[in-house]
Amino acid sequence: MSQPVALKVEPLTAAAFAPFGDVIEAADSARHFPINGGNTERFHDLMTLATDPDGHAIVSIFRGQPRTLPLTLTMLERHPKGSQAFMPLSGRSYLVAVARPGEGVSVADVCVFLARGDQGVNYAPGTWHHPLLALHATSDFLVIDRAGPGGNCDEVTLEPVGIIPA
């Protein structure tokens, strides 16, 4: 068994996350404009929802149990037939562990981001990621992803494992 690899956690920004998908947030850099007689600010077209031709978009709520740090990452998953978006409903920060799409992935490829409670992520199709990493308390997330025929979840075991420090 190989020695675990310590993973660095960095703040979630649109630029740093771009190789993996979209950051969903009401940022000044996003296209935004007033609607509804000026009573609402619309932050427009914040992500690209992708599905294969046989699939369709669905909306779910995932309830994540809090993870304790330090945390050992032993696996990643990917969804090759569509994107998968997570938007926190609890207002709590959470972790995002990702690696670029490709056939193989190793712990050296993993990037870890600390997302604020007002930031969501949209994983591009095929992007390797760890399942939901809620922190501090049980947290709900609005999830938009693909449903349809055929398998759409591949998993890989990390060897060596990665450690997200406390």
Side-chain angles (χ1 to χ4, degrees):
M1 178 164 222
S2 302
Q3 287 287 3
V5 174
L7 299 170
K8 178 184 165 194
V9 178
E10 59 185 284
L12 180 65
T13 65
F17 195 74
F20 314 107
D22 308 302
V23 173
I24 307 165
E25 64 181 329
D28 287 339
S29 60
R31 182 173 170 221
H32 58 102
F33 46 88
I35 61 171
N36 302 113
N39 290 311
T40 302
E41 187 78 6
R42 178 179 178 145
F43 290 82
H44 185 71
D45 197 15
L46 299 177
M47 59 171 249
T48 300
L49 182 64
T51 69
D52 66 329
D54 296 327
H56 61 279
I58 61 170
V59 175
S60 306
I61 292 178
F62 288 14
R63 182 161 291 153
Q65 299 304 308
R67 307 293 184 120
T68 303
L69 300 178
L71 177 68
T72 302
L73 298 186
T74 61
M75 61 80 70
L76 295 176
E77 65 181 27
R78 69 177 177 178
H79 307 285
K81 295 184 178 183
S83 59
Q84 189 177 47
F86 287 80
M87 190 69 200
L89 299 176
S90 64
R92 293 183 192 95
S93 60
Y94 62 102
L95 292 174
V96 176
V98 292
R100 292 176 191 247
E103 287 309 307
V105 65
S106 74
V107 71
D109 302 319
V110 176
C111 297
V112 182
F113 298 96
L114 177 62
R116 298 186 319 260
D118 64 343
Q119 292 178 303
V121 294
N122 180 43
Y123 301 122
T127 297
W128 291 102
H129 62 279
H130 193 277
L132 189 57
L133 293 170
L135 298 171
H136 313 300
T138 301
S139 300
D140 288 348
F141 291 78
L142 185 72
V143 178
I144 306 169
D145 62 351
R146 177 217 182 257
N152 189 34
C153 186
D154 301 328
E155 293 184 0
V156 65
T157 300
L158 294 175
E159 177 55 42
V161 300
I163 303 291
I164 300 175

